PDB file of all heavy atoms in Angstrom:
ATOM      1  N   LYS A  17      -7.367 -11.098   7.609  1.00 98.00           N
ATOM      2  CA  LYS A  17      -8.179 -12.328   7.064  1.00 98.00           C
ATOM      3  C   LYS A  17      -9.589 -11.998   6.582  1.00 98.00           C
ATOM      4  O   LYS A  17     -10.020 -12.278   5.617  1.00 98.00           O
ATOM      5  CB  LYS A  17      -8.284 -13.409   8.176  1.00 98.00           C
ATOM      6  CG  LYS A  17      -8.968 -14.685   7.754  1.00 98.00           C
ATOM      7  CD  LYS A  17      -8.631 -15.789   8.764  1.00 98.00           C
ATOM      8  CE  LYS A  17      -9.225 -17.179   8.175  1.00 98.00           C
ATOM      9  NZ  LYS A  17     -10.452 -17.510   8.748  1.00 98.00           N
ATOM     10  N   HIS A  18     -10.205 -11.143   7.478  1.00 98.00           N
ATOM     11  CA  HIS A  18     -11.626 -10.686   6.937  1.00 98.00           C
ATOM     12  C   HIS A  18     -11.485  -9.939   5.771  1.00 98.00           C
ATOM     13  O   HIS A  18     -12.267 -10.123   4.780  1.00 98.00           O
ATOM     14  CB  HIS A  18     -12.193  -9.713   8.130  1.00 98.00           C
ATOM     15  CG  HIS A  18     -13.389  -8.964   7.736  1.00 98.00           C
ATOM     16  ND1 HIS A  18     -14.655  -9.544   7.794  1.00 98.00           N
ATOM     17  CD2 HIS A  18     -13.455  -7.856   7.173  1.00 98.00           C
ATOM     18  CE1 HIS A  18     -15.491  -8.675   7.296  1.00 98.00           C
ATOM     19  NE2 HIS A  18     -14.876  -7.679   6.875  1.00 98.00           N
ATOM     20  N   ASN A  19     -10.612  -8.937   5.589  1.00 98.00           N
ATOM     21  CA  ASN A  19     -10.413  -8.141   4.425  1.00 98.00           C
ATOM     22  C   ASN A  19     -10.133  -9.012   3.251  1.00 98.00           C
ATOM     23  O   ASN A  19     -10.663  -8.819   2.159  1.00 98.00           O
ATOM     24  CB  ASN A  19      -9.416  -7.025   4.662  1.00 98.00           C
ATOM     25  CG  ASN A  19      -9.783  -6.005   5.733  1.00 98.00           C
ATOM     26  OD1 ASN A  19     -10.882  -5.931   6.091  1.00 98.00           O
ATOM     27  ND2 ASN A  19      -8.720  -5.372   6.256  1.00 98.00           N
ATOM     28  N   PHE A  20      -9.200 -10.004   3.403  1.00 98.00           N
ATOM     29  CA  PHE A  20      -8.784 -10.862   2.253  1.00 98.00           C
ATOM     30  C   PHE A  20     -10.062 -11.604   1.788  1.00 98.00           C
ATOM     31  O   PHE A  20     -10.327 -11.628   0.561  1.00 98.00           O
ATOM     32  CB  PHE A  20      -7.635 -11.783   2.779  1.00 98.00           C
ATOM     33  CG  PHE A  20      -7.293 -12.745   1.656  1.00 98.00           C
ATOM     34  CD1 PHE A  20      -6.656 -12.403   0.537  1.00 98.00           C
ATOM     35  CD2 PHE A  20      -7.519 -14.164   1.963  1.00 98.00           C
ATOM     36  CE1 PHE A  20      -6.171 -13.320  -0.377  1.00 98.00           C
ATOM     37  CE2 PHE A  20      -7.029 -15.053   1.048  1.00 98.00           C
ATOM     38  CZ  PHE A  20      -6.408 -14.772  -0.107  1.00 98.00           C
ATOM     39  N   GLU A  21     -10.735 -12.179   2.740  1.00 98.00           N
ATOM     40  CA  GLU A  21     -11.956 -12.970   2.404  1.00 98.00           C
ATOM     41  C   GLU A  21     -12.978 -12.067   1.726  1.00 98.00           C
ATOM     42  O   GLU A  21     -13.763 -12.620   0.841  1.00 98.00           O
ATOM     43  CB  GLU A  21     -12.411 -13.779   3.636  1.00 98.00           C
ATOM     44  CG  GLU A  21     -11.465 -14.948   3.861  1.00 98.00           C
ATOM     45  CD  GLU A  21     -11.827 -15.587   5.131  1.00 98.00           C
ATOM     46  OE1 GLU A  21     -12.684 -15.265   5.934  1.00 98.00           O
ATOM     47  OE2 GLU A  21     -11.053 -16.656   5.368  1.00 98.00           O
ATOM     48  N   TYR A  22     -13.320 -10.900   2.288  1.00 98.00           N
ATOM     49  CA  TYR A  22     -14.249  -9.944   1.591  1.00 98.00           C
ATOM     50  C   TYR A  22     -13.858  -9.723   0.160  1.00 98.00           C
ATOM     51  O   TYR A  22     -14.681  -9.902  -0.691  1.00 98.00           O
ATOM     52  CB  TYR A  22     -14.273  -8.690   2.497  1.00 98.00           C
ATOM     53  CG  TYR A  22     -15.310  -7.671   1.843  1.00 98.00           C
ATOM     54  CD1 TYR A  22     -16.643  -7.886   1.850  1.00 98.00           C
ATOM     55  CD2 TYR A  22     -14.791  -6.719   1.149  1.00 98.00           C
ATOM     56  CE1 TYR A  22     -17.541  -7.189   1.216  1.00 98.00           C
ATOM     57  CE2 TYR A  22     -15.748  -5.674   0.422  1.00 98.00           C
ATOM     58  CZ  TYR A  22     -17.028  -6.052   0.488  1.00 98.00           C
ATOM     59  OH  TYR A  22     -17.905  -5.252  -0.122  1.00 98.00           O
ATOM     60  N   LEU A  23     -12.524  -9.391  -0.026  1.00 98.00           N
ATOM     61  CA  LEU A  23     -12.173  -9.053  -1.433  1.00 98.00           C
ATOM     62  C   LEU A  23     -12.344 -10.267  -2.332  1.00 98.00           C
ATOM     63  O   LEU A  23     -12.761 -10.276  -3.393  1.00 98.00           O
ATOM     64  CB  LEU A  23     -10.695  -8.485  -1.523  1.00 98.00           C
ATOM     65  CG  LEU A  23     -10.480  -7.191  -0.883  1.00 98.00           C
ATOM     66  CD1 LEU A  23      -9.040  -6.722  -0.812  1.00 98.00           C
ATOM     67  CD2 LEU A  23     -11.347  -6.061  -1.539  1.00 98.00           C
ATOM     68  N   LYS A  24     -12.009 -11.417  -1.774  1.00 98.00           N
ATOM     69  CA  LYS A  24     -11.981 -12.741  -2.522  1.00 98.00           C
ATOM     70  C   LYS A  24     -13.380 -12.923  -2.870  1.00 98.00           C
ATOM     71  O   LYS A  24     -13.784 -13.631  -3.981  1.00 98.00           O
ATOM     72  CB  LYS A  24     -11.472 -13.931  -1.773  1.00 98.00           C
ATOM     73  CG  LYS A  24      -9.890 -13.893  -1.641  1.00 98.00           C
ATOM     74  CD  LYS A  24      -9.330 -14.731  -2.614  1.00 98.00           C
ATOM     75  CE  LYS A  24      -9.522 -16.267  -2.384  1.00 98.00           C
ATOM     76  NZ  LYS A  24      -8.822 -17.086  -3.306  1.00 98.00           N
ATOM     77  N   SER A  25     -14.369 -12.640  -1.948  1.00 98.00           N
ATOM     78  CA  SER A  25     -15.821 -12.929  -2.226  1.00 98.00           C
ATOM     79  C   SER A  25     -16.374 -12.240  -3.458  1.00 98.00           C
ATOM     80  O   SER A  25     -17.465 -12.538  -3.898  1.00 98.00           O
ATOM     81  CB  SER A  25     -16.623 -12.652  -0.909  1.00 98.00           C
ATOM     82  OG  SER A  25     -16.821 -11.171  -0.890  1.00 98.00           O
ATOM     83  N   LYS A  26     -15.594 -11.168  -3.842  1.00 98.00           N
ATOM     84  CA  LYS A  26     -16.132 -10.396  -5.055  1.00 98.00           C
ATOM     85  C   LYS A  26     -15.590 -10.981  -6.312  1.00 98.00           C
ATOM     86  O   LYS A  26     -16.053 -10.452  -7.327  1.00 98.00           O
ATOM     87  CB  LYS A  26     -15.551  -8.958  -4.979  1.00 98.00           C
ATOM     88  CG  LYS A  26     -15.883  -8.103  -3.764  1.00 98.00           C
ATOM     89  CD  LYS A  26     -17.298  -7.752  -3.802  1.00 98.00           C
ATOM     90  CE  LYS A  26     -17.839  -7.272  -2.412  1.00 98.00           C
ATOM     91  NZ  LYS A  26     -19.303  -7.004  -2.620  1.00 98.00           N
ATOM     92  N   LEU A  27     -14.831 -12.082  -6.244  1.00 98.00           N
ATOM     93  CA  LEU A  27     -14.157 -12.612  -7.416  1.00 98.00           C
ATOM     94  C   LEU A  27     -14.861 -13.816  -7.981  1.00 98.00           C
ATOM     95  O   LEU A  27     -15.618 -14.689  -7.190  1.00 98.00           O
ATOM     96  CB  LEU A  27     -12.704 -12.992  -7.172  1.00 98.00           C
ATOM     97  CG  LEU A  27     -11.803 -11.918  -6.569  1.00 98.00           C
ATOM     98  CD1 LEU A  27     -10.429 -12.416  -6.419  1.00 98.00           C
ATOM     99  CD2 LEU A  27     -11.809 -10.736  -7.359  1.00 98.00           C
ATOM    100  N   ARG A  28     -14.729 -14.144  -9.253  1.00 98.00           N
ATOM    101  CA  ARG A  28     -15.098 -15.432  -9.668  1.00 98.00           C
ATOM    102  C   ARG A  28     -14.240 -16.393  -9.148  1.00 98.00           C
ATOM    103  O   ARG A  28     -13.125 -16.086  -8.860  1.00 98.00           O
ATOM    104  CB  ARG A  28     -15.192 -15.432 -11.273  1.00 98.00           C
ATOM    105  CG  ARG A  28     -16.372 -14.644 -11.927  1.00 98.00           C
ATOM    106  CD  ARG A  28     -16.236 -14.757 -13.404  1.00 98.00           C
ATOM    107  NE  ARG A  28     -15.033 -14.220 -13.947  1.00 98.00           N
ATOM    108  CZ  ARG A  28     -14.709 -12.933 -14.188  1.00 98.00           C
ATOM    109  NH1 ARG A  28     -15.594 -12.025 -13.966  1.00 98.00           N
ATOM    110  NH2 ARG A  28     -13.538 -12.512 -14.757  1.00 98.00           N
ATOM    111  N   LYS A  29     -14.721 -17.700  -9.261  1.00 96.00           N
ATOM    112  CA  LYS A  29     -13.945 -18.808  -8.581  1.00 96.00           C
ATOM    113  C   LYS A  29     -12.487 -18.930  -9.091  1.00 96.00           C
ATOM    114  O   LYS A  29     -11.628 -19.252  -8.468  1.00 96.00           O
ATOM    115  CB  LYS A  29     -14.715 -20.125  -8.818  1.00 96.00           C
ATOM    116  CG  LYS A  29     -14.479 -21.165  -7.835  1.00 96.00           C
ATOM    117  CD  LYS A  29     -15.451 -22.396  -7.870  1.00 96.00           C
ATOM    118  CE  LYS A  29     -14.817 -23.663  -7.570  1.00 96.00           C
ATOM    119  NZ  LYS A  29     -13.994 -24.340  -8.681  1.00 96.00           N
ATOM    120  N   THR A  31     -10.606 -16.644 -10.533  1.00 98.00           N
ATOM    121  CA  THR A  31      -9.712 -15.457 -10.564  1.00 98.00           C
ATOM    122  C   THR A  31      -8.668 -15.520  -9.523  1.00 98.00           C
ATOM    123  O   THR A  31      -9.065 -15.773  -8.395  1.00 98.00           O
ATOM    124  CB  THR A  31     -10.610 -14.133 -10.482  1.00 98.00           C
ATOM    125  OG1 THR A  31     -11.697 -14.233 -11.472  1.00 98.00           O
ATOM    126  CG2 THR A  31      -9.786 -12.819 -10.693  1.00 98.00           C
ATOM    127  N   PHE A  33      -5.719 -14.117  -6.890  1.00 98.00           N
ATOM    128  CA  PHE A  33      -5.631 -12.973  -5.989  1.00 98.00           C
ATOM    129  C   PHE A  33      -4.109 -12.581  -5.836  1.00 98.00           C
ATOM    130  O   PHE A  33      -3.320 -13.405  -5.236  1.00 98.00           O
ATOM    131  CB  PHE A  33      -6.277 -13.115  -4.779  1.00 98.00           C
ATOM    132  CG  PHE A  33      -6.433 -11.810  -3.909  1.00 98.00           C
ATOM    133  CD1 PHE A  33      -7.562 -11.084  -3.969  1.00 98.00           C
ATOM    134  CD2 PHE A  33      -5.410 -11.318  -3.209  1.00 98.00           C
ATOM    135  CE1 PHE A  33      -7.811  -9.968  -3.269  1.00 98.00           C
ATOM    136  CE2 PHE A  33      -5.426 -10.108  -2.547  1.00 98.00           C
ATOM    137  CZ  PHE A  33      -6.676  -9.388  -2.621  1.00 98.00           C
ATOM    138  N   ILE A 210     -11.447  -3.893  -8.081  1.00 98.00           N
ATOM    139  CA  ILE A 210     -12.173  -5.145  -7.748  1.00 98.00           C
ATOM    140  C   ILE A 210     -13.524  -4.758  -7.245  1.00 98.00           C
ATOM    141  O   ILE A 210     -14.561  -5.604  -7.655  1.00 98.00           O
ATOM    142  CB  ILE A 210     -11.307  -5.830  -6.525  1.00 98.00           C
ATOM    143  CG1 ILE A 210     -10.059  -6.203  -6.899  1.00 98.00           C
ATOM    144  CG2 ILE A 210     -12.134  -6.936  -5.812  1.00 98.00           C
ATOM    145  CD1 ILE A 210      -9.070  -6.681  -5.724  1.00 98.00           C
ATOM    146  N   LEU A 211     -13.729  -3.732  -6.441  1.00 98.00           N
ATOM    147  CA  LEU A 211     -15.119  -3.442  -5.860  1.00 98.00           C
ATOM    148  C   LEU A 211     -15.983  -2.880  -6.954  1.00 98.00           C
ATOM    149  O   LEU A 211     -17.187  -3.145  -6.914  1.00 98.00           O
ATOM    150  CB  LEU A 211     -14.871  -2.453  -4.746  1.00 98.00           C
ATOM    151  CG  LEU A 211     -14.021  -3.067  -3.614  1.00 98.00           C
ATOM    152  CD1 LEU A 211     -13.785  -2.011  -2.522  1.00 98.00           C
ATOM    153  CD2 LEU A 211     -14.748  -4.237  -2.893  1.00 98.00           C
ATOM    154  N   PRO A 214     -16.332  -5.420 -11.728  1.00 98.00           N
ATOM    155  CA  PRO A 214     -16.143  -6.792 -11.899  1.00 98.00           C
ATOM    156  C   PRO A 214     -15.853  -7.227 -13.325  1.00 98.00           C
ATOM    157  O   PRO A 214     -15.218  -8.389 -13.508  1.00 98.00           O
ATOM    158  CB  PRO A 214     -17.487  -7.317 -11.513  1.00 98.00           C
ATOM    159  CG  PRO A 214     -18.394  -6.260 -11.310  1.00 98.00           C
ATOM    160  CD  PRO A 214     -17.582  -5.015 -11.263  1.00 98.00           C
ATOM    161  N   HIS A 217     -12.069  -7.902 -13.939  1.00 98.00           N
ATOM    162  CA  HIS A 217     -11.202  -8.817 -13.079  1.00 98.00           C
ATOM    163  C   HIS A 217     -10.268  -9.669 -13.932  1.00 98.00           C
ATOM    164  O   HIS A 217      -9.357 -10.120 -13.313  1.00 98.00           O
ATOM    165  CB  HIS A 217     -12.178  -9.710 -12.248  1.00 98.00           C
ATOM    166  CG  HIS A 217     -12.803  -8.815 -11.044  1.00 98.00           C
ATOM    167  ND1 HIS A 217     -13.703  -9.491 -10.239  1.00 98.00           N
ATOM    168  CD2 HIS A 217     -12.776  -7.605 -10.594  1.00 98.00           C
ATOM    169  CE1 HIS A 217     -14.161  -8.646  -9.327  1.00 98.00           C
ATOM    170  NE2 HIS A 217     -13.595  -7.395  -9.688  1.00 98.00           N
ATOM    171  N   VAL A 221      -6.570 -10.347  -9.789  1.00 98.00           N
ATOM    172  CA  VAL A 221      -6.670  -9.009  -9.481  1.00 98.00           C
ATOM    173  C   VAL A 221      -5.473  -8.586  -8.513  1.00 98.00           C
ATOM    174  O   VAL A 221      -4.943  -9.609  -8.130  1.00 98.00           O
ATOM    175  CB  VAL A 221      -8.082  -8.664  -8.707  1.00 98.00           C
ATOM    176  CG1 VAL A 221      -9.255  -8.823  -9.648  1.00 98.00           C
ATOM    177  CG2 VAL A 221      -8.128  -9.664  -7.510  1.00 98.00           C
ATOM    178  N   GLU A 236     -17.889   1.092   1.104  1.00 97.00           N
ATOM    179  CA  GLU A 236     -16.877  -0.080   1.181  1.00 97.00           C
ATOM    180  C   GLU A 236     -15.954   0.011   2.495  1.00 97.00           C
ATOM    181  O   GLU A 236     -15.595  -1.135   2.908  1.00 97.00           O
ATOM    182  CB  GLU A 236     -15.933  -0.167   0.014  1.00 97.00           C
ATOM    183  CG  GLU A 236     -16.720  -0.535  -1.265  1.00 97.00           C
ATOM    184  CD  GLU A 236     -17.361  -1.945  -1.344  1.00 97.00           C
ATOM    185  OE1 GLU A 236     -17.018  -2.712  -0.398  1.00 97.00           O
ATOM    186  OE2 GLU A 236     -18.170  -2.190  -2.204  1.00 97.00           O
ATOM    187  N   ASN A 239     -17.347  -2.379   4.924  1.00 98.00           N
ATOM    188  CA  ASN A 239     -17.200  -3.818   4.705  1.00 98.00           C
ATOM    189  C   ASN A 239     -15.721  -4.265   5.174  1.00 98.00           C
ATOM    190  O   ASN A 239     -15.544  -5.513   5.042  1.00 98.00           O
ATOM    191  CB  ASN A 239     -17.492  -4.246   3.301  1.00 98.00           C
ATOM    192  CG  ASN A 239     -18.956  -3.844   3.040  1.00 98.00           C
ATOM    193  OD1 ASN A 239     -19.795  -4.186   3.698  1.00 98.00           O
ATOM    194  ND2 ASN A 239     -19.225  -3.310   1.776  1.00 98.00           N
ATOM    195  N   LEU A 240     -14.847  -3.325   5.437  1.00 98.00           N
ATOM    196  CA  LEU A 240     -13.366  -3.711   5.633  1.00 98.00           C
ATOM    197  C   LEU A 240     -13.097  -3.174   7.074  1.00 98.00           C
ATOM    198  O   LEU A 240     -13.755  -2.369   7.697  1.00 98.00           O
ATOM    199  CB  LEU A 240     -12.565  -2.958   4.647  1.00 98.00           C
ATOM    200  CG  LEU A 240     -12.847  -3.484   3.132  1.00 98.00           C
ATOM    201  CD1 LEU A 240     -12.414  -2.386   2.200  1.00 98.00           C
ATOM    202  CD2 LEU A 240     -12.176  -4.852   2.891  1.00 98.00           C
TER     203      LEU A 240
END
Side-chain angles (χ1 to χ4, degrees):
K17 179 166 190 261
H18 167 89
N19 298 334
F20 177 67
E21 285 171 356
Y22 177 72
L23 294 173
K24 287 266 288 186
S25 76
K26 301 287 168 185
L27 308 181
R28 286 183 301 276
K29 205 167 145 277
T31 307
F33 194 97
I210 297 171
L211 299 172
H217 288 180
V221 295
E236 290 297 349
N239 297 319
L240 297 161

